[in-house]
Amino acid sequence: MEYQLRPQQPAVLQQQLRFTMHDFYRLKQKTKNTLSITLTDDTFNLVYQRLAQRIQQLKLKSFNAYYKYIEKNKEEISRLVNALTSTSSVFFDNPQLYDTINNSLLPSLLFNNPSHNLNIWSVGCGYGTEPYSMSISLFEQLPEAIYQRCKIIATDVNSFSITAAKRAIFNEETLVSLSQKQKCLYFYKGIGQQEMMYRVKSFIKQRIFFDTFNLMAHGPFCCNLDIIICRQQLVFFDQQNKLHILSKLLKSLNTGGYLIMDNHELQSIMATTNNPKAFLQSFNCQLIGESILQKK
Protein backbone atom coordinates (compact mmCIF):
# COMPACT_ATOMS: atom_id res chain seq x y z
CA MET A 1 0.00 0.00 0.00
CA GLU A 2 1.33 3.45 -0.93
CA TYR A 3 0.01 6.95 -0.42
CA GLN A 4 0.99 9.92 -2.58
CA LEU A 5 0.07 13.55 -2.24
CA ARG A 6 -2.99 14.65 -4.18
CA PRO A 7 -2.47 17.59 -6.58
CA GLN A 8 -4.92 19.86 -4.74
CA GLN A 9 -2.78 19.97 -1.58
CA PRO A 10 -0.85 23.19 -0.73
CA ALA A 11 2.03 24.05 -3.05
CA VAL A 12 4.63 23.50 -0.33
CA LEU A 13 3.70 19.82 -0.35
CA GLN A 14 3.15 19.27 -4.05
CA GLN A 15 6.32 17.24 -4.54
CA GLN A 16 5.23 13.63 -4.23
CA LEU A 17 6.58 11.61 -1.33
CA ARG A 18 6.59 7.83 -1.44
CA PHE A 19 5.06 6.28 1.67
CA THR A 20 4.77 2.50 1.87
CA MET A 21 3.40 0.21 4.55
CA HIS A 22 7.00 -0.72 5.31
CA ASP A 23 7.73 2.96 6.05
CA PHE A 24 4.59 3.14 8.15
CA TYR A 25 5.41 0.04 10.22
CA ARG A 26 8.93 1.27 10.95
CA LEU A 27 7.52 4.58 12.21
CA LYS A 28 4.89 2.63 14.12
CA GLN A 29 7.55 0.63 15.93
CA LYS A 30 9.63 3.73 16.62
CA THR A 31 6.74 5.69 18.15
CA LYS A 32 5.62 2.71 20.22
CA ASN A 33 9.09 2.09 21.64
CA THR A 34 9.95 5.70 22.37
CA LEU A 35 6.60 7.39 22.99
CA SER A 36 4.12 4.63 23.96
CA ILE A 37 2.01 5.80 21.01
CA THR A 38 0.28 3.14 18.93
CA LEU A 39 -0.21 3.93 15.25
CA THR A 40 -3.12 1.79 14.12
CA ASP A 41 -3.44 0.96 10.43
CA ASP A 42 -6.36 3.36 9.99
CA THR A 43 -4.05 6.28 10.84
CA PHE A 44 -1.90 5.63 7.73
CA ASN A 45 -3.17 8.67 5.80
CA LEU A 46 -3.18 10.88 8.90
CA VAL A 47 0.46 10.04 9.63
CA TYR A 48 1.33 10.96 6.06
CA GLN A 49 -0.51 14.26 6.24
CA ARG A 50 1.09 15.28 9.53
CA LEU A 51 4.66 14.31 8.63
CA ALA A 52 4.83 15.30 4.96
CA GLN A 53 5.45 18.98 5.61
CA ARG A 54 8.22 18.22 8.12
CA ILE A 55 9.92 15.99 5.56
CA GLN A 56 9.66 18.76 2.97
CA GLN A 57 11.20 21.23 5.43
CA LEU A 58 14.19 18.92 5.81
CA LYS A 59 14.44 18.68 1.99
CA LEU A 60 14.24 14.91 2.16
CA LYS A 61 12.86 12.88 -0.74
CA SER A 62 10.99 10.09 1.03
CA PHE A 63 9.71 8.70 4.32
CA ASN A 64 12.50 6.13 4.16
CA ALA A 65 15.02 8.99 4.15
CA TYR A 66 13.17 10.56 7.08
CA TYR A 67 13.38 7.36 9.11
CA LYS A 68 17.14 7.23 8.52
CA TYR A 69 17.33 10.88 9.54
CA ILE A 70 15.57 10.09 12.85
CA GLU A 71 18.03 7.26 13.54
CA LYS A 72 20.97 9.63 13.12
CA ASN A 73 19.40 12.67 14.81
CA LYS A 74 17.77 11.64 18.08
CA GLU A 75 16.56 15.19 18.77
CA GLU A 76 14.23 14.79 15.78
CA ILE A 77 11.99 12.60 17.95
CA SER A 78 10.67 15.79 19.58
CA ARG A 79 9.81 17.19 16.15
CA LEU A 80 8.14 13.91 15.22
CA VAL A 81 6.00 14.00 18.35
CA ASN A 82 4.97 17.57 17.70
CA ALA A 83 4.05 16.86 14.07
CA LEU A 84 1.90 13.87 15.06
CA THR A 85 0.14 15.26 18.12
CA SER A 86 -0.20 19.03 17.66
CA THR A 87 -3.62 20.03 16.38
CA SER A 88 -3.83 23.78 16.76
CA SER A 89 -1.38 26.15 15.08
CA VAL A 90 -3.44 29.36 15.16
CA PHE A 91 -5.29 31.29 17.87
CA PHE A 92 -9.01 30.52 18.19
CA ASP A 93 -8.77 27.74 15.59
CA ASN A 94 -12.27 26.57 16.54
CA PRO A 95 -14.49 29.58 17.39
CA GLN A 96 -17.44 27.30 18.15
CA LEU A 97 -15.44 25.68 20.94
CA TYR A 98 -14.92 28.98 22.74
CA ASP A 99 -18.51 30.04 22.14
CA THR A 100 -19.70 26.81 23.77
CA ILE A 101 -17.41 27.28 26.75
CA ASN A 102 -18.42 30.93 27.21
CA ASN A 103 -22.15 30.59 26.61
CA SER A 104 -22.91 27.16 28.07
CA LEU A 105 -20.16 25.64 30.21
CA LEU A 106 -19.00 28.66 32.20
CA PRO A 107 -22.54 29.76 33.20
CA SER A 108 -23.28 26.21 34.33
CA LEU A 109 -20.10 26.00 36.40
CA LEU A 110 -20.44 29.43 37.99
CA PHE A 111 -24.22 29.79 38.41
CA ASN A 112 -24.45 28.18 41.84
CA ASN A 113 -20.95 29.10 42.97
CA PRO A 114 -19.65 32.38 41.52
CA SER A 115 -16.69 32.30 43.92
CA HIS A 116 -15.53 28.98 42.52
CA ASN A 117 -11.93 28.72 41.30
CA LEU A 118 -11.93 27.54 37.69
CA ASN A 119 -9.36 24.89 36.80
CA ILE A 120 -8.90 24.06 33.11
CA TRP A 121 -6.55 21.56 31.47
CA SER A 122 -5.42 21.91 27.86
CA VAL A 123 -4.11 18.46 26.86
CA GLY A 124 -1.65 18.33 23.98
CA CYS A 125 -1.24 22.10 23.90
CA GLY A 126 1.53 22.10 21.30
CA TYR A 127 3.09 25.55 20.95
CA GLY A 128 0.45 27.09 23.23
CA THR A 129 -2.11 28.68 20.92
CA GLU A 130 -4.98 26.81 22.61
CA PRO A 131 -4.23 27.75 26.26
CA TYR A 132 -3.39 31.34 25.32
CA SER A 133 -6.64 31.56 23.34
CA MET A 134 -8.45 30.16 26.37
CA SER A 135 -6.89 32.75 28.67
CA ILE A 136 -7.85 35.58 26.31
CA SER A 137 -11.38 34.23 26.02
CA LEU A 138 -11.78 33.99 29.80
CA PHE A 139 -10.41 37.51 30.26
CA GLU A 140 -12.99 38.86 27.82
CA GLN A 141 -15.86 36.83 29.25
CA LEU A 142 -15.39 36.94 33.02
CA PRO A 143 -15.27 39.68 35.65
CA GLU A 144 -11.71 40.49 36.72
CA ALA A 145 -12.12 38.90 40.16
CA ILE A 146 -13.22 35.56 38.67
CA TYR A 147 -10.57 35.65 35.92
CA GLN A 148 -7.87 36.03 38.56
CA ARG A 149 -9.05 32.76 40.12
CA CYS A 150 -8.71 30.84 36.85
CA LYS A 151 -5.91 28.36 36.36
CA ILE A 152 -5.09 26.85 32.98
CA ILE A 153 -2.82 23.81 33.04
CA ALA A 154 -1.27 23.27 29.61
CA THR A 155 0.63 20.06 28.91
CA ASP A 156 2.25 18.30 26.00
CA VAL A 157 4.31 15.13 25.69
CA ASN A 158 6.87 17.12 23.68
CA SER A 159 9.30 19.17 25.79
CA PHE A 160 10.35 21.10 22.66
CA SER A 161 6.77 22.36 22.25
CA ILE A 162 6.47 23.31 25.92
CA THR A 163 9.69 25.32 25.76
CA ALA A 164 8.38 27.18 22.71
CA ALA A 165 4.95 27.70 24.34
CA LYS A 166 6.55 29.28 27.42
CA ARG A 167 8.36 31.80 25.21
CA ALA A 168 4.92 32.99 24.05
CA ILE A 169 6.22 34.42 20.78
CA PHE A 170 4.15 33.89 17.64
CA ASN A 171 4.30 34.98 14.02
CA GLU A 172 1.55 37.07 12.49
CA GLU A 173 -0.01 34.12 10.65
CA THR A 174 -1.03 32.48 13.92
CA LEU A 175 -3.03 35.58 14.89
CA VAL A 176 -5.15 35.60 11.73
CA SER A 177 -8.41 35.11 13.69
CA LEU A 178 -7.77 38.04 16.03
CA SER A 179 -8.94 41.60 15.48
CA GLN A 180 -6.46 44.46 15.45
CA LYS A 181 -7.86 45.55 18.81
CA GLN A 182 -7.17 42.12 20.31
CA LYS A 183 -3.63 42.10 18.94
CA CYS A 184 -2.98 45.45 20.60
CA LEU A 185 -4.59 44.43 23.90
CA TYR A 186 -2.97 41.05 24.37
CA PHE A 187 0.36 41.17 22.50
CA TYR A 188 3.51 43.20 22.15
CA LYS A 189 4.43 43.69 18.50
CA GLY A 190 8.04 43.22 17.45
CA ILE A 191 10.11 45.93 15.81
CA GLY A 192 12.76 45.92 13.14
CA GLN A 193 13.53 42.41 11.93
CA GLN A 194 10.95 41.09 14.41
CA GLU A 195 8.07 43.28 13.20
CA MET A 196 6.06 40.24 12.09
CA MET A 197 6.33 38.62 15.52
CA TYR A 198 4.09 39.03 18.57
CA ARG A 199 4.68 38.25 22.25
CA VAL A 200 1.81 37.49 24.64
CA LYS A 201 1.45 40.02 27.46
CA SER A 202 2.18 38.87 30.98
CA PHE A 203 -1.35 39.28 32.37
CA ILE A 204 -2.56 36.66 29.86
CA LYS A 205 0.44 34.39 30.46
CA GLN A 206 0.13 34.41 34.25
CA ARG A 207 -3.04 32.30 34.22
CA ILE A 208 -1.24 29.43 32.40
CA PHE A 209 1.04 26.75 33.84
CA PHE A 210 2.99 24.72 31.28
CA ASP A 211 4.50 21.29 31.79
CA THR A 212 5.38 18.11 29.92
CA PHE A 213 3.01 15.20 30.42
CA ASN A 214 2.45 11.81 28.79
CA LEU A 215 -1.11 10.48 28.81
CA MET A 216 0.34 6.98 29.23
CA ALA A 217 2.08 7.98 32.45
CA HIS A 218 1.39 5.82 35.51
CA GLY A 219 -0.58 7.25 38.39
CA PRO A 220 -3.42 9.77 38.48
CA PHE A 221 -3.78 12.79 36.23
CA CYS A 222 -4.42 16.35 37.41
CA CYS A 223 -7.37 16.57 39.78
CA ASN A 224 -10.19 18.94 40.75
CA LEU A 225 -10.64 20.12 37.19
CA ASP A 226 -13.69 21.87 35.77
CA ILE A 227 -12.91 21.68 32.06
CA ILE A 228 -10.54 19.41 30.15
CA ILE A 229 -9.88 20.12 26.48
CA CYS A 230 -8.48 16.99 24.85
CA ARG A 231 -8.91 17.20 21.09
CA GLN A 232 -7.35 14.66 18.71
CA GLN A 233 -5.00 13.37 21.38
CA LEU A 234 -6.26 9.77 21.52
CA VAL A 235 -6.23 9.03 17.81
CA PHE A 236 -2.87 7.24 18.00
CA PHE A 237 -3.78 4.95 20.89
CA ASP A 238 -5.40 1.55 20.57
CA GLN A 239 -8.94 1.06 21.87
CA GLN A 240 -7.90 -0.37 25.22
CA ASN A 241 -5.62 2.57 25.97
CA LYS A 242 -8.22 5.05 24.69
CA LEU A 243 -10.72 3.74 27.23
CA HIS A 244 -8.08 3.72 29.97
CA ILE A 245 -7.14 7.34 29.29
CA LEU A 246 -10.78 8.38 28.94
CA SER A 247 -11.53 6.90 32.36
CA LYS A 248 -8.62 8.75 33.99
CA LEU A 249 -9.58 12.04 32.34
CA LEU A 250 -13.14 11.79 33.66
CA LYS A 251 -11.90 10.90 37.14
CA SER A 252 -9.86 14.11 37.09
CA LEU A 253 -13.00 16.22 36.78
CA ASN A 254 -15.04 17.70 39.58
CA THR A 255 -18.68 16.65 39.65
CA GLY A 256 -20.40 18.60 36.90
CA GLY A 257 -17.11 19.18 35.07
CA TYR A 258 -16.71 18.84 31.30
CA LEU A 259 -14.42 16.85 29.03
CA ILE A 260 -14.24 18.37 25.54
CA MET A 261 -13.04 16.04 22.80
CA ASP A 262 -12.87 15.96 19.04
CA ASN A 263 -16.27 14.96 17.68
CA HIS A 264 -15.00 12.22 15.37
CA GLU A 265 -12.68 10.85 18.02
CA LEU A 266 -15.36 10.55 20.70
CA GLN A 267 -17.90 9.08 18.32
CA SER A 268 -15.39 6.48 17.11
CA ILE A 269 -14.76 5.39 20.71
CA MET A 270 -18.47 5.13 21.45
CA ALA A 271 -19.10 3.26 18.19
CA THR A 272 -17.33 0.23 19.63
CA THR A 273 -20.25 -0.42 21.96
CA ASN A 274 -23.75 -1.55 21.03
CA ASN A 275 -25.21 0.31 23.98
CA PRO A 276 -24.07 3.96 24.16
CA LYS A 277 -26.27 4.61 27.19
CA ALA A 278 -24.59 1.82 29.16
CA PHE A 279 -21.22 3.08 27.95
CA LEU A 280 -21.88 6.53 29.39
CA GLN A 281 -23.24 5.08 32.62
CA SER A 282 -20.08 3.00 33.05
CA PHE A 283 -18.06 6.23 33.04
CA ASN A 284 -20.61 8.07 35.22
CA CYS A 285 -21.11 10.82 32.67
CA GLN A 286 -23.58 12.18 30.14
CA LEU A 287 -23.11 13.30 26.57
CA ILE A 288 -23.61 17.01 25.84
CA GLY A 289 -24.00 17.62 22.14
CA GLU A 290 -21.65 15.46 20.07
CA SER A 291 -18.25 16.03 21.62
CA ILE A 292 -18.61 16.94 25.32
CA LEU A 293 -18.89 14.58 28.28
CA GLN A 294 -20.14 15.92 31.61
CA LYS A 295 -19.25 14.06 34.78
CA LYS A 296 -22.23 13.29 37.01
Side-chain angles (χ1 to χ4, degrees), residues 153-171:
I153 302 166
T155 66
D156 199 280
V157 68
N158 188 354
S159 59
F160 176 86
S161 296
I162 291 298
T163 299
K166 287 180 178 179
R167 286 200 296 267
I169 298 174
F170 299 90
N171 62 45

Side-chain angles (χ1 to χ4, degrees), residues 15 69 139 171 193 215 225 243 247 289:
Q15 178 180 341
Y69 181 85
F139 179 81
N171 62 45
Q193 293 183 341
L215 287 172
L225 296 165
L243 294 174
S247 175

